[in-house]
């Protein structure tokens, strides 16, 4: 188990030009979130749902990791098993910053993968549209029921089990760029000795007095301080 758990959300990727959920602009505003992010939308609104994720996947090809991803990638690669990188994000910016994909726990899926609804195989499709990769078929069983590899609201998120296991066994929990609306992060503070919260501003879903340290700043401006706090704990 890792000594330090870093749990991130949309805010860590905001400075890389990926809209957070609530300050949505551009791409997000053209769609009603509930029609493309909720359990069942692949049955009731399949074409638009797949198109939405196809566009976001393509959009990722131009996005670059920011300083926060890079500093955390250096730490993760230096301390390996001592640090767990867990994210709600489906982008690949930690990977672009140099962390091997298998070392990042993506709680809500991963945009550059697709999943077969027939055999449950998960496979890499890069930045392609689903219908353009493997002719829209699963490379394993050739089924045409291929979906974005993302967890919709109301669907099971199997990796939450890893999140709980890591958090209940760590010493320092670092939360970066999440409003706490999807994952109730406050509940985790009682399991850890120390916790750091970094968001741009106060969130209605977070009671910040529960945290040992609170930093309301951009992630890229907070990350050096966070990084030295992490190294201090790892050297104890
Ligand atoms: P959220 O949009 O609810 O909250 C974003 C949080 O980030 C806010 O608390 C805000 O203060 C903070 N923030 C904004 N800019 C920041 C910055 N520059 N530095 C530090 N903090 C900053 O996001 P959420 O809590 O992750 O939940 C939204 C859901 O939407 C999640 O399930 C997530 O999977 C999904 N989502 C993912 C992406 C992505 O993959 N990059 C983008 C948008 C939404
Ligand atoms: Zn299949």
């Amino acid at each position: 188990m890792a000594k330090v758990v870093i749990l991130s959300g949309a805010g860590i990727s905001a400075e890389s030009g990926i809209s957070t959920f609530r300050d949505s602009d551009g791409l997000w505003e053209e769609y009603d979130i509930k029609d493309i992010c909720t359990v069942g939308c692949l049955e009731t609104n399949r074409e638009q749902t797949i198109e939405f994720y196809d566009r976001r996947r393509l959009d990722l090809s131009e996005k670059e990791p920011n300083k926060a991803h890079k500093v955390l990638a250096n730490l993760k690669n230096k301390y390996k098993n001592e640090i767990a990188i867990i994210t709600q994000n489906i982008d690949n910016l930690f990977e672009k910053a140099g962390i091997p994909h298998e070392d990042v726990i993506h709680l809500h899926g991963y945009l550059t993968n697709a999943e077969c609804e027939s055999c449950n195989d998960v496979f890499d499709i890069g930045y392609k549209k689903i219908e353009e990769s493997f002719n829209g078929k699963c490379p394993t069983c050739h089924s045409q029921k291929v979906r974005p590899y993302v967890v919709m609201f109301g669907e099971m998120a199997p990796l939450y089990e890893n999140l709980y296991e890591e958090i209940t066994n760590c010493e320092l929990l670092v939360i970066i760029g999440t409003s706490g609306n999807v994952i109730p992060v406050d509940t985790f503070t009682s399991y850890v000795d120390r916790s750091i919260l970094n968001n741009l501003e106060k969130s209605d879903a977070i009671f910040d007095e529960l945290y040992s340290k609170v930093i309301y700043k951009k992630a890229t401006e907070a990350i050096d301080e966070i990084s030295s706090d992490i190294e201090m704990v790892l050297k104890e």
Side-chain angles (χ1 to χ4, degrees), residues 48-108:
Q48 203 192 28
T49 301
I50 288 186
E51 182 206 10
F52 172 74
Y53 292 102
D54 280 347
R55 289 178 67 177
R56 295 195 61 207
R57 188 179 305 109
L58 184 63
D59 195 43
L60 267 192
S61 63
E62 296 165 358
K63 303 293 190 235
E64 294 300 331
N66 62 49
K67 184 179 170 189
H69 297 105
K70 290 177 192 165
V71 168
L72 294 178
N74 282 340
L75 279 178
K76 172 68 181 169
N77 291 334
K78 183 170 170 191
Y79 294 100
K80 304 250 178 242
N81 301 332
E82 307 273 10
I83 296 180
I85 301 282
I86 308 182
T87 187
Q88 298 170 77
N89 297 346
I90 56 177
D91 65 52
N92 58 355
L93 297 182
F94 279 122
E95 284 83 351
K96 281 190 177 179
I99 309 183
H101 176 57
E102 58 275 16
D103 287 349
V104 183
I105 299 177
H106 285 273
L107 298 170
H108 295 159

Side-chain angles (χ1 to χ4, degrees), residues 8-15 18-23 28 56 88-91 108 153 176-183 198-203 206 217-220:
S8 60
I12 199 170
S13 296
E15 290 170 83
I18 299 180
S19 318
T20 62
F21 213 56
R22 278 146 195 93
D23 335 303
W28 293 85
R56 295 195 61 207
Q88 298 170 77
N89 297 346
I90 56 177
D91 65 52
H108 295 159
F153 291 120
I176 306 179
T178 178
S179 64
N181 280 293
V182 177
I183 296 184
N198 166 222
N199 269 329
L200 199 55
E201 57 203 7
K202 247 179 183 306
S203 162
I206 291 179
K217 272 186 194 168
K218 288 180 177 174
T220 55

